[in-house]
Amino acid sequence: MERVPILKIGDILIVSIQVDLEDQSVLTLQEDLAEAVVKHAARGVIIDISVVEIVDSFIGRMLATIAGMSRMLDAQTVVVGMRPAVAITLVELGLNLGGVRTALNLEKGIALLDHVRSAAR
Amino acid sequence: MTAAREMPIASNGDVVLVRQYVRGVAVEMGLSLVDQTKVVTAASELARNALVYAGGGAVRVETVENGRRRGVRLTFSDEGPGIPDVDRAMTDGWSSGTGLGLGLSGSRRLVDEFDLESAPGKGTVVTVTKWGR
């Protein structure tokens, strides 16, 4: 089973999904991330899906779950790098990502997190 | 033309293999990137359905031709409990298991042709076709 590495920069955790994930790896990532948020007292989580070729309902639900879970643990989540074909497919599939924040790339994602946090102060 | 291939769906790893193979065939048939993404996403949903609701099954992946149009056809079959009320199962938000209730209705929107045959105790066969533009 593939395990997705979680990187830490300051109080932000960055996850870049580089492989075609099977369902068990997705569940493991959720758990690993929840633990990492608490362990590092992270305030933000960025999930980079720029090389992910498809997001089906299972992966979509993972993204919404991670966002909800992070919120409970006082961290904000931003999904970055969604491919245009993936966005078109998600809309037709009818998947509502449950208020997951998105940004076009990593840089914009970090800027969004900074903005959200300064607004909350 | 690629020969038809029958693939088992018995584990999460098989779902990944089905996605990858369908992607390859869709590329070969000249589907656009968006259409490739749609048919691979539908394949992922339907393969997972077979795994979750029927404990596994199989998919037949084949290429189809109609004049100058080329496409990919996927036939998912399982010997699970079947679907008692097909119309209801095709409704958005309906789900009997752990999904989001988008597997069938969502997949139908992602493909050009969709056919579902199922009866209680008889298993389920879902056939979908995606054509190149």
Side-chain angles (χ1 to χ4, degrees):
Chain A
M1 191 189 75
E2 300 275 357
R3 214 178 179 105
V4 182
I6 299 173
L7 311 178
K8 175 180 167 297
I9 298 179
D11 57 3
I12 296 177
L13 300 178
I14 299 179
V15 175
S16 182
I17 299 175
Q18 299 282 336
V19 292
D20 196 346
L21 289 180
E22 60 176 85
D23 294 1
Q24 190 53 49
S25 308
V26 168
L27 297 175
T28 304
L29 173 61
Q30 277 176 204
E31 289 168 21
D32 288 353
L33 254 180
E35 279 179 26
V37 167
V38 172
K39 182 177 165 198
H40 301 295
R43 302 300 305 274
V45 174
I46 292 182
I47 304 172
D48 172 26
I49 59 167
S50 55
V51 299
V52 173
E53 292 182 337
I54 69 146
V55 173
D56 62 8
S57 61
F58 193 83
I59 296 174
R61 188 167 39 148
M62 165 197 77
L63 297 174
T65 302
I66 287 174
M69 187 186 77
S70 305
R71 212 174 295 130
M72 297 273 182
L73 298 172
D74 197 22
Q76 301 293 326
T77 302
V78 183
V79 171
V80 304
M82 186 183 292
R83 295 181 172 198
V86 169
I88 292 169
T89 302
L90 271 178
V91 171
E92 284 201 17
L93 187 61
L95 200 64
N96 174 352
L97 283 187
V100 175
R101 285 172 199 274
T102 58
L104 287 183
N105 55 42
L106 186 57
E107 199 175 0
K108 287 181 192 292
I110 291 173
L112 177 59
L113 278 178
D114 285 344
H115 178 74
V116 168
R117 288 155 62 191
S118 58
R121 257 178 223 131
Chain B
M1 296 279 266
T2 309
R5 181 172 165 192
E6 189 97 20
M7 302 178 77
I9 303 169
S11 68
N12 284 321
D14 288 342
V15 176
V16 174
L17 293 177
V18 168
R19 286 202 291 253
Q20 290 168 351
Y21 187 69
V22 170
R23 163 82 62 181
V25 174
V27 169
E28 195 185 329
M29 291 297 101
L31 270 65
S32 71
L33 183 58
V34 170
D35 286 339
Q36 290 168 31
T37 305
K38 286 181 182 177
V39 72
V40 174
T41 304
S44 187
E45 297 292 330
L46 295 170
R48 188 176 295 102
N49 271 2
L51 191 60
V52 172
Y53 298 111
V59 59
R60 181 182 164 84
V61 183
E62 59 195 322
T63 58
V64 284
E65 251 186 282
N66 181 1
R68 291 175 61 184
R69 292 176 93 197
R70 295 196 299 168
V72 52
R73 178 167 292 153
L74 311 172
T75 307
F76 293 84
S77 52
D78 68 59
E79 292 171 1
I83 302 169
D85 186 342
V86 170
D87 287 341
R88 194 158 156 243
M90 290 304 302
T91 311
D92 265 351
W94 184 86
S95 174
S96 61
T98 53
L100 277 173
L102 292 169
L104 285 176
S105 57
S107 300
R108 179 164 64 174
R109 283 191 293 269
L110 296 177
V111 297
D112 298 313
E113 292 163 26
F114 183 100
D115 181 66
L116 189 153
E117 281 176 46
S118 185
K122 296 269 167 72
T124 301
V125 178
V126 182
T127 306
V128 300
T129 307
K130 188 78 182 169
W131 293 100
R133 303 280 152 222

